[in-house]
Amino acid sequence: MRALAFGTTVLCAVLFASCTSSTVVSPGAGGGIHASELLHDASGLPLVYVSNPRGSNVTVYSYRDAKHVRLVQTITGMSTPYGSCVDRKQNVYVADGVTDDIVEFAHGGTTPIGTLADTHGMPFACAINPANGDLAVVNNWGPSGSDGNVLVYSKAKGDPTSYSDPNLEIPEQAAYDDDGNLFVDGSKGPSRPFVLFELQKGKKIFSYLKVRGAQIREPSGLQWCAPHMLLADSDYQSESTTLLYVLKVAASRTQVVRKVALASSGNVEQFWKQGQNVIAPDGDSVPIFSYRTGNREGEITKGVFAPVAAVVSAP
């Protein structure tokens, strides 16, 4: 987790599938959020949504493959958009960290179709349960700077249920598996050792998971791609290199089965695996890597401003 500065305000700071007191706002309501019109040549294509908190916008790109990515619209009027997630309808949810809102957009939509208020902290990341549509929201920090928490909105509506654990002081990322089990990573204590927890389907408390075969300094993205969990360390061996761990999860234990080093890329926050590529914003641009080799195969630079998160919505 890295600190991001916006003017005089300093915020401490996103999952996912190509391989996942509140108020619902009616369609068309956006509180000043606007977007350029979607270009016709993007119809029928997957769309990459990139969060640019320092630009207070989300840039949207048509995606054919790593070498054919085109800016098609920019959603403006947000405050500090961070992590995002996608439901089965391919609606995109974006966590807006300063307004404490989670804003929902339809695939290719130009105005929000719903907004959820988060009164429990600063929303930083989210995940959708593919089994029932529940929305999990990760708050880095709780009210008045207290420990962070995870909120679960049943079917992405209504008032959330809050979950926390004293050993998960700063939760970072979240992902659901296909069965509806929720995984959350983060850190604990002054030295910020990495921790990974699971909230099993139907349970009310987190279970600690030991990650065998990994030493993670800076957790930076979590995505379920059946039958594995993908977990990134954006400061692998203190070398400012992002390493993608492919994990097997079984019986409350995890085991590294593969490692993919993303070439010349550190500071990744929220990545997204799309087919055989990994889209990984690194704070400067949005490199696109081969999932097999880790080599760069493309890069998004147009329109981005200190990008921190990417997610893909398919038509």
Side-chain angles (χ1 to χ4, degrees):
M1 182 190 68
R2 285 150 291 281
L4 301 178
F6 305 97
T8 59
T9 302
V10 178
L11 299 176
C12 291
V14 152
L15 294 296
F16 303 56
S18 153
C19 300
T20 95
S21 147
S22 63
T23 302
V24 178
V25 179
S26 60
I33 297 175
H34 306 284
S36 58
E37 290 298 321
L38 184 66
L39 298 184
H40 294 298
D41 65 357
S43 62
L45 291 176
L47 297 176
V48 182
Y49 288 71
V50 175
S51 295
N52 303 284
R54 292 187 182 178
S56 299
N57 63 39
V58 175
T59 43
V60 186
Y61 304 82
S62 62
Y63 183 90
R64 295 183 185 276
D65 54 47
K67 298 185 182 302
H68 297 88
V69 185
R70 181 176 180 180
L71 177 66
V72 295
Q73 70 182 32
T74 301
I75 300 171
T76 61
M78 303 189 77
S79 179
T80 50
Y82 288 131
S84 52
C85 52
V86 178
D87 66 15
R88 288 203 165 196
K89 295 180 180 179
Q90 298 306 299
N91 296 336
V92 177
Y93 297 77
V94 181
D96 198 340
V98 167
T99 62
D100 297 336
D101 290 333
I102 300 89
V103 187
E104 178 186 5
F105 297 90
H107 172 86
T110 58
T111 57
I113 60 174
T115 300
L116 290 168
D118 179 353
T119 61
H120 293 69
M122 189 191 83
F124 183 67
C126 65
I128 291 285
N129 186 339
N132 61 13
D134 287 354
L135 170 68
V137 175
V138 174
N139 288 322
N140 264 166
W141 303 101
S144 302
S146 57
D147 290 353
N149 53 65
V150 179
L151 307 181
V152 176
Y153 296 81
S154 178
K155 301 187 184 302
K157 297 179 180 179
D159 294 320
T161 301
S162 178
Y163 298 90
S164 60
D165 189 283
N167 293 308
L168 183 60
E169 294 183 11
I170 307 176
E172 292 272 358
Q173 316 291 334
Y176 280 101
D177 67 14
D178 293 337
D179 296 324
N181 302 307
L182 176 63
F183 300 85
V184 180
D185 68 9
S187 56
K188 169 183 167 52
S191 61
R192 296 172 52 208
F194 167 80
V195 290
L196 177 65
F197 283 86
E198 178 183 7
L199 184 64
Q200 294 181 346
K201 179 181 178 181
K203 301 293 185 179
K204 296 183 179 181
I205 60 174
F206 284 108
S207 299
Y208 173 73
L209 295 178
K210 181 175 177 58
V211 181
R212 297 172 180 261
Q215 292 183 334
I216 297 165
R217 289 178 51 84
E218 198 70 66
S220 54
L222 199 61
Q223 182 178 1
W224 176 258
C225 292
H228 297 120
M229 179 74 72
L230 307 184
L231 168 65
D233 178 2
S234 66
D235 192 20
Y236 176 61
Q237 294 185 345
S238 302
E239 294 179 354
S240 297
T241 294
T242 297
L243 185 71
L244 188 64
Y245 291 98
V246 182
L247 307 177
K248 178 181 179 181
V249 182
S252 298
R253 290 190 287 182
T254 65
Q255 178 66 49
V256 175
V257 297
R258 184 169 170 246
K259 300 176 184 179
V260 183
L262 305 183
S264 301
S265 181
N267 298 319
V268 168
E269 286 285 355
Q270 179 189 307
F271 65 86
W272 181 277
K273 180 180 180 292
Q274 177 68 14
Q276 290 305 306
N277 290 120
V278 178
I279 303 169
D282 63 8
D284 295 317
S285 65
V286 186
I288 303 175
F289 300 91
S290 165
Y291 178 64
R292 183 178 64 86
T293 66
N295 294 331
R296 288 198 184 205
E297 297 194 339
E299 185 176 24
I300 300 172
T301 57
K302 186 175 182 179
V304 299
F305 182 39
V308 301
V311 72
V312 174
S313 171

